[in-house]
Amino acid sequence: MLRREFLATTLSAPAALAAAPAGAKLGVDLFSLRSQNWTAFEYLDYCSKFGARTVHFSEIRFLGSLEDDHVRKVGEHAAKLGIEVEIGMRSMCPTSTAFDPKLGTAEEQLIRLMRAAKLTNSKLVRAFQGTLADRKTPGGIEARIEDSVKVLRNVRSQAQDLNMKIAIENHAGDMQARELRMLIEGAGKDVVGACFDSGNPCWVLEDPNLTLETLAPYILTSHIRDSYLWNDENGTQVNWTRMGEGNVGIEGLLTRFLELCPGKSMSLEIIVMGPRPYTWRKPEFWDGYRGIPAADFARFLNLAGKGTPQTPRPAPAKDQVAAREREDFEASMKWTREFLKV
């Protein structure tokens, strides 16, 4: 199907969404469209064509500015389209390899984002701790969790004053579900919750279905994508795919999400990439993963055992990257809407 033909079929999407199952709040994480270089208003207009009920501005660059007047206008434009806005930032852990101190202290960055979120009527600020590189920093992931908890406790009163929640993502192989749960409990679950990402558990040797079950009581919002895994002579290969093309049981995961997290946003974050190797058969690999429970690792291995080696998809030419992103997103949105019957 040509892109223009698919777009034409989606123009009636808002009406179709009225019949969605209880809790099926389908949205878009703008990282799916990270190479488009659109304005915040152009992003909202595009997502509206697909009936998005939530648009997740997961990084400041997608907003374009944190100036009060600008973010207020973004919120107003979203409201006119019937879209709920969620705002996010990158790392909030000052000792993470992903943290950017040029933007201010972790507390300053979080407070700035919470105030902007209030102006757009976002009920939360999404942030993440770091990446898989943090698992091999001094003190390991446990030390990074302690540092994150301190920051979150420092902004607790400001979050309460703004009636704002902070949603910490299981991001890029930084934390398994039980570790993120520990962070949330330490910081205070009345203010801090989870942004559940269904693609990232595979980067930390975890079955995403287990991640969902563990984090469900804390989930405030989500990023949804599919994955295809297989085992090889060195360990496991992880490949992120379009929705419906993986082997992690995405259908069951979506159904279970609706049962466990009714009313929470299910925002597609489509990143087609891979395969990415996890060479757990080599002893040195385990330096950052020694605390992983054997039973959880066995679940991951069983999941990957269902796969067979896949041929990598050729990378697009530089001038075709943005178009490929749209194709991947649109195909994934189509599959997801058909599965959810929305």
Side-chain angles (χ1 to χ4, degrees):
M1 180 182 290
L2 295 176
R3 178 172 175 266
R4 60 179 178 273
E5 294 172 339
F6 178 66
L7 280 171
T9 68
T10 65
L11 293 178
S12 60
L17 281 167
K25 187 190 288 186
L26 189 57
V28 182
D29 175 359
L30 293 181
F31 201 80
S32 297
L33 304 162
R34 56 202 171 278
S35 302
Q36 305 306 313
N37 294 317
W38 292 337
T39 67
F41 307 101
E42 289 171 326
Y43 278 119
L44 287 167
D45 290 341
Y46 175 82
C47 295
S48 177
K49 294 176 182 178
F50 298 91
R53 295 175 61 183
T54 302
V55 171
H56 187 99
F57 289 80
S58 51
E59 295 187 9
I60 298 170
R61 61 183 168 124
F62 300 132
L63 276 171
S65 168
L66 289 181
E67 294 295 327
D68 287 0
D69 186 56
H70 175 73
V71 294
R72 189 180 291 111
K73 288 178 179 177
V74 171
E76 291 170 352
H77 189 68
K80 289 178 183 177
L81 296 172
I83 290 173
E84 181 178 322
V85 169
E86 293 179 348
I87 283 184
M89 58 176 279
R90 290 177 55 79
S91 174
M92 46 61 62
C93 177
T95 55
S96 167
T97 58
F99 183 73
D100 186 356
K102 296 191 297 294
L103 300 177
T105 67
E107 289 86 354
E108 289 169 343
Q109 292 184 44
L110 278 168
I111 292 169
R112 189 183 307 129
L113 263 292
M114 287 191 287
R115 289 173 176 167
K118 194 70 174 179
L119 293 174
T120 64
N121 293 316
S122 174
K123 297 180 177 64
L124 59 84
V125 166
R126 166 268 188 186
F128 63 76
Q129 178 172 272
T131 71
L132 54 83
D134 293 336
R135 300 191 70 86
K136 295 186 179 181
T137 54
I141 200 66
E142 294 82 4
R144 305 291 76 74
I145 290 172
E146 290 179 7
D147 295 337
S148 295
V149 167
K150 290 176 185 177
V151 169
L152 292 165
R153 287 177 176 173
N154 287 342
V155 301
R156 178 184 179 83
S157 62
Q158 290 90 340
Q160 290 175 324
D161 290 345
L162 292 167
N163 193 28
M164 189 69 55
K165 294 289 184 74
I166 301 170
I168 304 299
E169 180 182 341
N170 55 309
H171 182 264
D174 62 353
M175 289 180 287
Q176 287 198 315
R178 60 190 175 79
E179 293 163 335
L180 179 51
R181 180 178 61 192
M182 180 170 65
L183 183 154
I184 293 168
E185 291 283 357
K189 60 183 180 179
D190 57 327
V191 171
V192 180
C195 173
F196 165 65
D197 187 295
S198 67
N200 287 326
C202 297
W203 278 29
V204 71
L205 312 182
E206 187 168 67
D207 178 347
N209 300 283
L210 172 62
T211 312
L212 172 61
E213 296 285 343
T214 303
L215 292 179
Y218 309 94
I219 290 174
L220 302 174
T221 190
S222 69
H223 297 166
I224 302 295
R225 67 179 166 281
D226 206 349
S227 303
Y228 192 97
L229 287 66
W230 68 92
N231 294 324
D232 64 13
E233 66 278 9
N234 293 315
T236 300
Q237 298 279 348
V238 176
N239 194 23
W240 286 340
T241 70
R242 293 179 175 187
M243 291 293 285
E245 296 181 2
N247 66 344
V248 295
I250 197 67
E251 298 89 347
L253 186 144
L254 291 176
T255 301
R256 189 63 172 147
F257 184 95
L258 293 177
E259 294 172 355
L260 295 174
C261 309
K264 305 301 183 184
S265 294
M266 305 167 67
S267 292
L268 297 187
E269 183 185 13
I270 306 307
I271 309 170
V272 180
M273 63 174 288
R276 188 182 183 100
Y278 287 83
T279 57
W280 50 262
R281 296 185 193 274
K282 298 181 179 181
E284 61 270 20
F285 171 86
W286 289 98
D287 288 347
Y289 299 90
R290 298 192 185 282
I292 292 179
D296 294 354
F297 182 54
R299 281 191 58 160
F300 173 79
L301 290 185
N302 289 336
L303 199 63
K306 300 175 183 177
T308 56
Q310 302 291 296
T311 301
R313 185 176 70 169
K318 187 175 181 180
D319 62 352
Q320 293 298 311
V321 170
R324 174 72 67 82
E325 277 182 2
R326 294 193 301 273
E327 291 170 5
D328 290 339
F329 165 74
E330 290 169 14
S332 294
M333 177 62 87
K334 181 177 185 293
W335 183 93
T336 306
R337 290 189 58 203
E338 288 178 350
F339 175 75
L340 294 174
K341 295 181 172 60
V342 297

